[in-house]
Every structure is written in C-alpha cells, then in structure tokens.
Amino acid sequence: MSRPIELLSPAGNMDKLKMAIRYGADAVYCAGQAFGLRAGSANFNNEELKEAVEFVHAHGKKIYVTCNIIPHNEDLVGLEEYLQYLESIHVDAIIVADLGIFLLAKRVAPGLELHVSTQANTTNYLTTEFWKEQGATRVVVAREVSIKDIKTMRESADIEIEAFIHGAMCISYSGRCLLSNYFTTTRDANRGQCAQACRWKYSLVESNRPGEYYPIEEDQHGTYIFNSKDLCLLKHIPELYEAGVDSLKIEGRMKSVHYVATVTKVYREAIDTYLKEGKEWYVRDEWMEELEKISHRPYTEGFSVEKPDETAQNYGKSSNTQTHDFIGLVEGYNAEEGFAYMEQRNNFKVGDEVEFCQPHGALVHHVITKMTDENGEEITVAPHPQMKVRLYIDTPLETYSMMRRKCKNQ
C-alpha cells in the first residue's frame, strides 16, 4: 500500500491532545472557547491553542480547530478576530458547518484551509463538488452515508474526504437536533450545548389514546428508544481505504484521556498493519479487547454497509460500559533500580493485578508487590489523587504508559 491515510483523534483539552499524538494520531481536532460544538468540553483558550499548535507541529502532526456551530446573529461577535488569530498561529485547518462562517473565513483569513463539518450534512457527490468549487479542501461526510456512497463522492471531485470510524452516534441527521432546545431552556445543540436528550428514558403515548404506549419491549431500567449504539468501523478499514477516504476520524472530545489514547492506539495499529499486509489483513482479537476496556456503549456499524435496523439502538440503558479502569500514568522508568515513576489517577494498592498500555510497545501484565512514595518510604496503597509513586517492576515501561485494572464488576 502506498497511499497514506490520516488517523484523526479528538482533543478536548491539552492532556488529551498530547496523549493522542503520543499514541499515534496523525492529526487532532479541538475547539476554542467559542464557535465549537462541544461547550461541555474544557476546550482551549487562545494561549492554549497556540501552545497546542506548537506541540503538534513539533511532532510533525496536524491540528484542526472546530468552528462548526450553526450561529445566530449574536454568535458572530468576535468571530472575525478569532479566525484571524487562528490563521496567525498557523492551525492547519478549521472545520466549518455554516456557509456564513465559511465565507467570512475566506474573506478575513484566506490562509486558513477550510474543512466542511459533518454538521453540513454532505450526503451526495453534487454537494461534494459544490464545496470543492467554493474552496474547501476537505469534506467530512455525513454519518448517514455508506462506504459505497463515499467512494462515489470521492471520485466525483478532487477533494479530501474525512469519515467517522469510531465513537458516539447521534439520533438526528449528522447532529442537526432540536431535542435539547425544547427540553431545556438554554441548551442549543447546534450552538455547542447539547444536553444529549436522546439518551434519556422515554415512554411514548398518543394524546387521544391515553394509556396506550409505544409497543416496544421494556425492562426494569425503562425504555431508551432514541439511544444509539456507538460506531465501530475497525473491520471496514480496507473498504474505507479502497473507497479513497483520506482521513479516519475518532469521535470523543468529551471522552476521557484513557478513551482517547486507547482508541487511537488500536486504530493506529490496525491501519499500519493493513498498509503492510494488504489483502492478508484481518482484525486481531486483542484490538477488539482493547476497545471493550474503554467507556462505551455497545458497538454498531451504523450506515457503513446498509441502513441500520432496530439493533443499532440500545434500548436497555443509557449508561456506558467498560472492562478496565485507568488508575495510573507512567512518568518515567528507572532501569538501574527497576521502578516506574507513577502519577496516581485512581486508588491502587499492593496485590493489585494491573496492566500497562504503552504508546508503542506491547501490553504488560504485572502484580504490584512493592511501591514507595516519592521520598522512598515504602507504602501499601496510593490513595491520593495525582500522588507520586515509585512502583517496582522489572519490565521497562514507556513514558506515558497507562496503568489499568479490571473493573470490580468484571
């Protein structure tokens, strides 16, 4: 395989951004304090955005900033200056859904590359051609299109195609949702404040037929009829590559560091293995095992091959599941004395069976037999958040490895 394909990871804050790069992302996408669709994420102020650009570029990677709200007039205040600032710090592109923002960026910050957000609902080749003519360099296709349709769209116009391959799915058309607007007084989903009302528990009844409920199966948890499963297209990497997709995108700016790093590593290994093996490639069991360890809903292939049926929804509950907890971060390894410098992320103790997910190396299993505090005093438990610990282990560990432990209910 000769054509490169980009792995694009989410970055809700600086910590997640750096871990995404360290765990194999070719590019990251993030948002500033305004104009992005994830107001619930920490996001980046202007100085942090500058620092993020410098870090990413120092590693030879790319960074895209989302400006993908559907704005009302009052939302445009300060936008011109913000776009010019993004141009001045040399972000690699901005992701835009609204035609007005698109046109303003072309006028006031012509050096910015323009990527068309999935919020713009690009579902056909004519729209792809339109965005190419307007000056966009990339289109993020709607999640409602199949891989077959993506191939047609890619062939119709000389423009990059980005497609989601993993993460949360929206019940509405590529995120164009009004549930949050109606059920809350201030949270506009299309201006970055979605309350995820689709994850709530519902019963449906027609007003003229009181007591006659929507005929679906219901258990003791309730009925979550709008609650989509999470997208996972790991096994479709070959088809996406052959369809001409230029960038494979992971959803998750509001997810944890553990999620971002783990999913990025899995897809990095899967992509690199495919580019090496070609037709001999297959999905490794350990990749799917890793994707079960992070917080997620059950997986679906969405619209990738065919229109999803009723099995694409998660009717039983809205909460996520995971098999492992992230409990510590490796900050270095002392080879002479055989211990890892750890930062505590969750309570752990002597006797715990743990594993280390490394940025590049293999998974390492270990039973904790000895650890000390940062002063060298032996301890049996690390109970304090971000506590510095020396954990004795013979196997050298890469810096930024994540220490994990099976969840208690596993």
Side-chain angles (χ1 to χ4, degrees):
M1 301 290 178
S2 58
R3 180 177 68 85
I5 189 167
E6 178 184 87
L7 177 60
L8 177 57
S9 295
N13 59 32
M14 192 70 72
D15 197 15
K16 297 173 189 177
L17 179 145
K18 291 181 177 180
M19 288 292 275
I21 295 297
R22 290 162 179 152
Y23 274 75
D26 296 305
V28 292
Y29 64 101
C30 61
Q33 296 292 312
F35 311 114
L37 272 181
R38 288 292 181 269
S41 177
N43 295 325
F44 294 73
N45 62 35
N46 281 1
E47 285 304 309
E48 289 170 335
L49 279 173
K50 187 174 186 296
E51 179 187 345
V53 171
E54 292 171 352
F55 177 87
V56 171
H57 287 174
H59 286 77
K61 311 298 183 180
K62 293 184 177 182
I63 179 169
Y64 312 133
V65 176
T66 58
C67 299
N68 56 347
I69 64 169
I70 309 300
H72 293 229
N73 290 332
E74 62 268 24
D75 299 315
L76 300 175
V77 176
L79 176 59
E80 181 173 330
E81 294 79 7
Y82 180 63
L83 293 172
Q84 291 171 333
Y85 177 74
L86 295 179
E87 181 184 35
S88 74
I89 62 173
H90 307 295
V91 302
D92 293 285
I94 59 171
I95 304 172
V96 178
D98 178 72
L99 190 55
I101 295 180
F102 187 96
L103 295 174
L104 181 65
K106 287 181 65 177
R107 184 166 72 241
V108 305
L112 284 175
E113 280 199 23
L114 298 172
H115 294 179
V116 180
S117 171
T118 190
Q119 298 290 127
N121 308 134
T122 303
T123 60
N124 61 76
Y125 66 87
L126 288 177
T127 307
T128 309
E129 293 172 359
F130 167 81
W131 285 116
K132 169 67 176 178
E133 292 172 3
Q134 298 308 307
T137 57
R138 177 182 293 186
V139 170
V140 188
V141 295
R143 300 183 214 197
E144 295 77 22
V145 299
S146 67
I147 296 174
K148 180 181 178 181
D149 286 340
I150 291 174
K151 188 175 190 296
T152 301
M153 295 161 72
R154 183 65 177 87
E155 291 172 346
S156 72
D158 184 21
I159 188 171
E160 293 182 1
I161 294 292
E162 180 178 305
F164 279 93
I165 54 166
H166 196 93
M169 294 279 284
C170 183
I171 191 66
S172 296
Y173 219 83
S174 282
R176 291 293 188 99
C177 179
L178 289 175
L179 287 178
S180 182
N181 301 55
Y182 281 104
F183 292 166
T184 66
T185 57
T186 59
R187 299 184 64 169
D188 186 337
N190 297 304
R191 288 192 275 180
Q193 296 177 318
C194 182
Q196 292 199 320
C198 56
R199 311 298 187 192
W200 299 353
K201 181 173 68 175
Y202 291 94
S203 294
L204 292 187
V205 60
E206 203 274 324
S207 62
N208 292 324
R209 295 176 176 84
E212 294 186 23
Y213 291 88
Y214 190 84
I216 59 175
E217 193 170 316
E218 184 172 354
D219 66 11
Q220 68 272 21
H221 300 294
T223 303
Y224 298 86
I225 57 175
F226 303 131
N227 185 30
S228 176
K229 294 180 179 180
D230 282 357
L231 183 69
C232 178
L233 297 186
L234 184 68
K235 78 175 188 179
H236 292 293
I237 286 175
E239 296 98 311
L240 289 161
Y241 184 89
E242 292 301 321
V245 175
D246 299 277
S247 180
L248 301 177
K249 187 172 193 173
I250 299 167
E251 183 276 336
R253 272 185 286 151
M254 293 180 67
K255 299 293 181 64
S256 68
V257 166
H258 181 211
Y259 171 98
V260 171
T262 301
V263 178
T264 297
K265 184 179 182 182
V266 167
Y267 280 92
R268 174 80 280 146
E269 290 183 359
I271 292 167
D272 290 348
T273 304
Y274 171 68
L275 294 177
K276 180 180 179 181
E277 295 180 352
K279 293 182 179 180
E280 303 300 317
W281 181 89
Y282 63 95
V283 176
R284 273 54 170 182
D285 290 341
E286 56 266 29
W287 295 341
M288 291 307 302
E289 289 171 6
E290 284 293 297
L291 294 180
E292 291 296 330
K293 292 175 182 177
I294 51 99
S295 178
H296 69 287
R297 295 179 177 87
Y299 292 124
T300 176
E301 296 179 2
F303 293 79
S304 60
V305 178
E306 58 187 6
K307 289 186 178 180
D309 58 18
E310 69 279 1
T311 62
Q313 300 300 106
N314 186 19
Y315 303 106
K317 59 182 179 179
S318 65
S319 59
N320 289 4
T321 61
Q322 65 187 81
T323 63
H324 287 66
D325 289 322
F326 171 36
I327 59 174
L329 184 69
V330 176
E331 295 185 330
Y333 184 79
N334 186 316
E336 290 184 7
E337 300 185 46
F339 65 80
Y341 296 98
M342 303 292 304
E343 179 183 80
Q344 191 259 38
R345 295 297 180 95
N346 207 328
N347 185 301
F348 58 86
K349 62 185 184 299
V350 170
D352 281 350
E353 296 183 16
V354 299
E355 65 181 32
F356 294 88
C357 177
Q358 305 186 91
H360 306 289
L363 199 66
V364 174
H365 294 274
H366 178 68
V367 176
I368 300 175
T369 57
K370 180 183 177 181
M371 57 186 183
T372 70
D373 63 19
E374 58 185 327
N375 297 317
E377 296 293 326
E378 193 160 342
I379 58 175
T380 59
V381 62
H384 307 302
Q386 297 186 299
M387 180 180 179
K388 304 298 182 181
V389 176
R390 297 177 184 179
L391 190 149
Y392 285 78
I393 177 172
D394 293 335
T395 306
L397 297 171
E398 298 173 18
T399 302
Y400 304 113
S401 295
M402 297 181 295
M403 184 168 74
R404 302 187 295 209
R405 179 181 56 212
K406 273 192 175 183
C407 298
K408 291 181 180 180
N409 60 350
Q410 295 299 313

